[in-house]
Amino acid sequence: SAGSAASNAATLTVNSSTVLLNANPTDLAFGSVTIGSSSTLSVTFTNAGNSNVTVSNVSISGAGYTATGLSTGQILTPAQTATLNVTFSPSATGTLTGSVTVTSDATNSPATVSLSGSGVQPVSHTVTLTWSPSTSSVSGYNIYRSSVSGGSYSKLNSTVVSTTSFDDSSVQAGQTYYYVVTSVDSSNMESTYSS
């Protein structure tokens, strides 16, 4: 009702949208990993554009590889990062390769990360145990082992050991073991644990 007035001319600049999702690093080398154990490495995904990026799929290929951390449907705002943790758990010896592929609405999609690692057999070790013979008349001895001092012990021998020594060939490097010995008489009565 008061009328209208025109402003001075204004310039409107429309910047094009950039939608980029970058992975760093683009390959993960796990080296040698013992069968029965695992190793985890990480990849950082960064939204390097000026618009949101929506992840539509995360897939992994290759025997022994799993991934967690970056999920389908996840949205990354500009400059936001997300970490994908890749775990290598070999079940066989030899070189094993794979890849992680992250598909999104980014113009550089899909982002692919190469995976490599080698499964190696665990090195077997042996511990030789010796003890002083019982002063009583005994048929033999039973040997027990635990991973905790004073903990729940598991019997190692299937039959009574008649000597005062025993070889445990089921030990692994880097592990601590605790042993106790019991004596067994002719009636199969077992003594208490040794020190």
Side-chain angles (χ1 to χ4, degrees):
S1 60
S4 63
S7 69
N8 293 333
T11 303
L12 174 64
T13 303
V14 178
N15 293 322
S16 60
S17 173
T18 56
V19 185
L20 297 171
L21 185 62
N22 295 336
N24 185 31
T26 56
D27 62 88
L28 296 177
F30 290 87
S32 296
V33 178
T34 304
I35 293 172
S37 63
S38 63
S39 176
T40 301
L41 296 175
S42 299
V43 179
T44 301
F45 286 87
T46 305
N47 179 344
N50 60 13
S51 300
N52 288 352
V53 172
T54 302
V55 175
S56 57
N57 190 36
V58 178
S59 63
I60 190 162
S61 66
Y65 295 102
T66 56
T68 58
L70 186 66
S71 58
T72 299
Q74 188 168 347
I75 298 172
L76 280 74
T77 59
Q80 185 180 3
T81 63
T83 302
L84 180 74
N85 297 309
V86 180
T87 301
F88 178 47
S89 305
S91 59
T93 59
T95 301
L96 301 169
T97 59
S99 65
V100 174
T101 303
V102 176
T103 308
S104 67
D105 59 357
T107 54
N108 62 341
S109 178
T112 302
V113 178
S114 300
L115 309 174
S116 64
S118 295
V120 294
Q121 286 289 344
V123 177
S124 62
H125 297 280
T126 300
V127 172
T128 300
L129 306 168
T130 60
W131 56 90
S132 300
S134 173
T135 56
S136 303
S137 176
V138 296
S139 299
Y141 305 91
N142 287 325
I143 297 84
Y144 295 84
R145 182 181 75 190
S146 175
S147 58
V148 179
S149 179
S152 177
Y153 291 98
S154 298
K155 187 175 173 183
L156 297 178
N157 53 303
S158 55
T159 60
V160 174
V161 176
S162 59
T163 63
T164 56
S165 68
F166 180 80
D167 290 334
D168 181 3
S169 58
S170 62
V171 293
Q172 299 293 320
Q175 299 292 319
T176 301
Y177 300 98
Y178 299 88
Y179 295 90
V180 292
V181 177
T182 62
S183 57
V184 181
D185 67 15
S186 58
S187 303
N188 280 335
M189 294 295 294
E190 196 170 9
S191 71
T192 59
Y193 290 148
S194 64
S195 298

